[in-house]
Amino acid sequence: MEHTGFPSDETLAAFIDGRLDPETRGQVIAHMATCPECYSVFMSATEMAEVVAAPNGSHRSSRQAWLAVAVTAVAAAFSIVFLVTPVRDLVLPHHDSGLDALAKAAPEQRTIAGRISGFPYQAMVHLTRGESVDPMKDPANASLLTAAASVQRSLNAQRSPANLHAVGVANLLLGHPDAAVDTLHEALLAETGQRRVADAIDDSNEVRLLNDLSVALSNRTAGHPKTDDEALRCAEKAWRIGGTPEAAWNRAIATETLKGAGSDAARSAWRDYLKRDPASSWATEARKRLEPAK
Ligand SMILES: [Zn+2]
């Protein structure tokens, strides 16, 4: 199938050859984190370059080749060199699905109300109406882009529920709400073998996946009337079988959306949260949500 829109074949070729200006280069990296097609073109090109550059039996794996190119590309995109060490730390100890690497690379402030499984506390950015935050524009997020590209690469190699889960979370962090929901839905269907999302929610015992799907659904805005109800059902299930603070949190967020902030149901859900976690930074935020300033 023909790839439509950004980047054109010419732009992608220029990226691979290192001929792009920093801003466009950053846009291509960001796009590649979520586009398997462009990513595989990039990978093939760099693997070929690697063979040409090291014909005498080099033992560098394709992953190392990717790392070398990614580090160079990211550093060039943001004109920053000090990232080399953190990026290696993030990507090399990569035994699981990459969720840990994403958690370490997450932006310092969060733009979504929900709590992603295993992520540390991050204060919420308060945006005025119409304003948005584009994680791609912030040089501090270079390591996030690299971690996102890494989980995308794992998914290209194997479309497993765990890899789908990680890419879904990456989409959330990169500000692609619809792609996040679609990928996490696919993860849940693959994990349970069900065909309908509602059946998969009933069937699944994957607390972290149900939790993160709830976050993605709550995060998706207008035009999706079924979303709010499904967000609450995912969080309820995760809370019932897992009892995690994340699930308690996301259950309260989904209840606020469905029943209104300050409603009896929402206040009751925040009280349940505070019973589970009375003392963390999340608890401080929960108390503010329970007792909004008058
Ligand atoms: Zn693409």
Side-chain angles (χ1 to χ4, degrees):
M1 203 171 73
E2 192 88 353
H3 189 286
T4 53
F6 179 87
S8 67
D9 290 351
E10 290 75 19
T11 304
L12 193 56
F15 173 79
I16 291 162
D17 293 347
R19 289 185 280 115
L20 285 182
D21 63 90
E23 191 185 341
T24 314
R25 184 184 281 268
Q27 288 166 353
V28 173
I29 294 172
H31 172 86
M32 264 190 329
T34 55
C35 177
E37 192 183 331
C38 291
Y39 187 79
S40 64
V41 171
F42 168 71
M43 281 303 297
S44 323
T46 52
E47 276 166 13
M48 279 191 296
E50 181 73 8
V51 171
V52 171
N56 51 349
S58 159
H59 290 293
R60 292 181 85 192
S61 67
S62 61
R63 160 179 245 156
Q64 285 169 316
W66 148 242
L67 264 177
V69 174
V71 168
T72 310
V74 168
F78 298 100
S79 310
I80 288 169
V81 178
F82 68 82
L83 283 162
V84 170
T85 304
V87 165
R88 287 178 62 85
D89 288 344
L90 279 168
V91 182
L92 287 175
H94 186 73
H95 303 300
D96 66 1
S97 59
L99 283 168
D100 291 345
L102 286 167
K104 281 185 199 159
E108 282 182 18
Q109 291 188 302
R110 71 187 209 277
T111 54
I112 48 182
R115 275 185 72 168
I116 302 170
S117 304
F119 276 49
Y121 180 75
Q122 292 139 331
M124 184 83 186
V125 188
H126 287 284
L127 302 172
T128 53
R129 207 179 174 79
E131 193 188 0
S132 66
V133 167
D134 184 350
M136 316 305 175
K137 300 259 166 69
D138 184 351
N141 288 337
S143 52
L144 169 61
L145 298 181
T146 305
S150 175
V151 295
Q152 182 66 55
R153 182 176 181 230
S154 300
L155 180 62
N156 294 350
Q158 192 193 1
R159 215 164 174 83
S160 66
N163 289 340
L164 286 161
H165 183 180
V167 169
V169 169
N171 281 326
L172 255 179
L173 297 172
L174 292 172
H176 305 304
D178 292 334
V181 170
D182 291 347
T183 313
L184 292 170
H185 272 163
E186 189 184 341
L188 194 65
L189 294 174
E191 185 255 316
T192 56
Q194 294 287 350
R195 288 191 193 162
R196 293 176 58 241
V197 170
D199 295 335
I201 294 170
D202 289 344
D203 219 33
S204 178
N205 289 311
E206 287 291 328
V207 173
R208 288 162 63 105
L209 177 56
L210 288 163
N211 180 74
D212 295 344
L213 176 56
S214 178
V215 176
L217 289 161
S218 286
N219 176 55
R220 192 161 70 170
T221 46
H224 300 278
K226 282 168 65 187
T227 291
D228 297 341
D229 183 54
E230 194 187 316
L232 183 56
R233 278 194 294 123
C234 286
E236 285 281 7
K237 175 81 189 270
W239 172 236
R240 188 157 50 79
I241 64 175
T244 59
E246 286 102 335
W249 181 276
N250 295 323
R251 175 173 171 262
I253 294 287
T255 306
E256 271 192 356
T257 310
L258 210 56
K259 309 279 188 187
S263 64
D264 288 348
R267 292 170 55 81
S268 168
W270 285 120
R271 279 190 215 99
D272 289 343
Y273 178 83
L274 286 164
K275 278 180 220 156
R276 178 68 181 76
D277 166 25
S280 75
S281 302
W282 292 102
T284 307
E285 192 175 318
R287 279 194 192 88
K288 284 187 194 145
R289 288 178 178 269
L290 181 60
E291 306 288 353
K294 301 217 166 65

